[in-house]
Amino acid sequence: MKVTKIPPNRLPALAKNGLGSKAPNLERTPEPKRTAMLTAVVRHLEAAVDDALDLFTLLMQVKLISAAKTKTRRCDHQQGSGRLFQDLVLALNGLPRGRGVAGGA
């Protein structure tokens, strides 16, 4: 049976009917309708799997990009902290003896 013979507006109804039917009921369904129903079910499930894979791809991209941004921020923060520490050491070295943090009163 060619899928083009199934009216496009009937596919969702056939898929819903097929997904809700049990195997014995599908077996008793007359042949052209059974094939149309099973074809509609397969088409529906293919679309659902495609949508799920698209969503999974999007979520993984967001997760990977987010992780990369977080790692970049951490590296920038650590480098910034290192620069701040170096500036602090230079500033403390410029103070007269006895006034530094570690130098006592």
Side-chain angles (χ1 to χ4, degrees):
M1 172 178 223
K2 292 184 180 181
V3 179
T4 55
K5 289 185 176 183
I6 303 171
N9 59 346
R10 281 284 291 150
L11 285 175
L14 286 169
K16 184 178 179 181
N17 195 358
L19 286 169
S21 298
K22 300 205 183 289
N25 290 343
L26 286 173
E27 190 176 18
R28 286 191 294 267
T29 304
E31 181 46 45
K33 186 174 182 179
R34 179 179 4 164
T35 303
M37 210 181 305
L38 293 175
T39 302
V41 167
V42 169
R43 286 258 174 121
H44 176 77
L45 293 176
E46 282 177 343
V49 169
D50 286 346
D51 290 346
L53 288 174
D54 290 343
L55 181 61
F56 177 74
T57 301
L58 180 65
L59 290 174
M60 289 307 295
Q61 287 174 346
V62 168
K63 184 175 181 177
L64 292 174
I65 289 170
S66 176
K69 283 182 182 178
T70 302
K71 187 168 181 114
T72 302
R73 279 191 218 115
R74 283 187 193 146
C75 289
D76 289 346
H77 178 68
Q78 288 172 350
Q79 289 172 354
S81 298
R83 277 188 243 120
L84 288 174
F85 180 73
Q86 289 172 354
D87 291 344
L88 181 61
V89 169
L90 289 174
L92 290 176
N93 285 338
L95 291 175
R97 291 273 176 210
R99 295 203 170 220
V101 174

